[in-house]
Amino acid sequence: MDDRRLAEELRLTIGGLVRTVRAADTMPPGESAVLGYLDRGGPLTTAEIAQQRGVTHQSAAKTVKDLLARNFVRAEAHPGDGRKFLLHLTQSGRDRLAEERRRRADWLGAAINTVLDADERRTLEAALPLLSRLSAHLHGT
């Protein structure tokens, strides 16, 4: 298989896997994405969240408003710009995100154990560092 075909097959396969796993989510995708960004990247502004998600500021602001109302995030004045707010993940938000991640991992783990034999599971495990390196390269890190 040539590099272009390999790249396209990888993109389609991983994209399909991600969409399938997300279908098991019990939270709207925007909400779990925002909680994930805050968990991984620390406090962010609504504008930074919109940029990372590739959505409009209005769309991010609606999601943030819903998360604030459910006490999954809290806002504090931005230390460098009083017109902005920094959003922080609350313990409730952290707990909700952990629950969602557990559900995904359990569901995917059950499928791995059902579909793949021991050798295939080892092959999949061996591929993880390669996929991680590709992802880091594409993110510029």
Side-chain angles (χ1 to χ4, degrees):
M1 181 179 306
D2 69 18
D3 289 350
R4 180 174 284 151
R5 174 91 189 258
L6 177 61
E8 183 61 11
E9 288 297 320
L10 180 63
R11 185 190 69 77
L12 289 171
T13 300
I14 290 176
L17 178 64
V18 168
R19 284 187 296 281
T20 300
V21 170
R22 282 187 181 153
D25 286 355
T26 59
M27 291 181 76
E31 289 184 11
S32 60
V34 170
L35 295 180
Y37 290 138
L38 293 173
D39 182 52
R40 289 184 303 275
L44 297 168
T45 65
T46 301
E48 290 167 332
I49 289 169
Q51 180 183 20
Q52 286 189 22
R53 288 206 60 228
V55 299
T56 64
H57 189 277
Q58 292 87 345
S59 176
K62 181 192 177 315
T63 300
V64 165
K65 181 180 176 187
D66 293 343
L67 292 170
L68 284 164
R70 294 168 56 200
N71 194 37
F72 290 160
V73 300
R74 67 177 175 78
E76 71 176 29
H78 191 288
D81 185 342
R83 299 168 296 168
K84 296 179 182 179
F85 290 95
L86 279 178
L87 302 166
H88 297 262
L89 191 60
T90 65
Q91 188 58 52
S92 295
R94 192 170 280 105
D95 293 344
R96 183 63 180 92
L97 182 60
E99 175 187 324
E100 199 69 21
R101 286 174 173 167
R102 248 188 326 274
R103 181 179 295 106
R104 288 177 192 163
D106 289 348
W107 193 60
L108 184 55
I112 288 169
N113 285 322
T114 300
V115 174
L116 304 180
D117 64 31
D119 286 338
E120 290 170 324
R121 286 193 299 275
R122 282 190 289 277
T123 299
L124 181 60
E125 184 179 353
L128 294 176
L130 302 176
L131 296 170
S132 183
R133 279 183 28 218
L134 282 172
S135 180
H137 174 76
L138 293 170
H139 280 100
T141 57

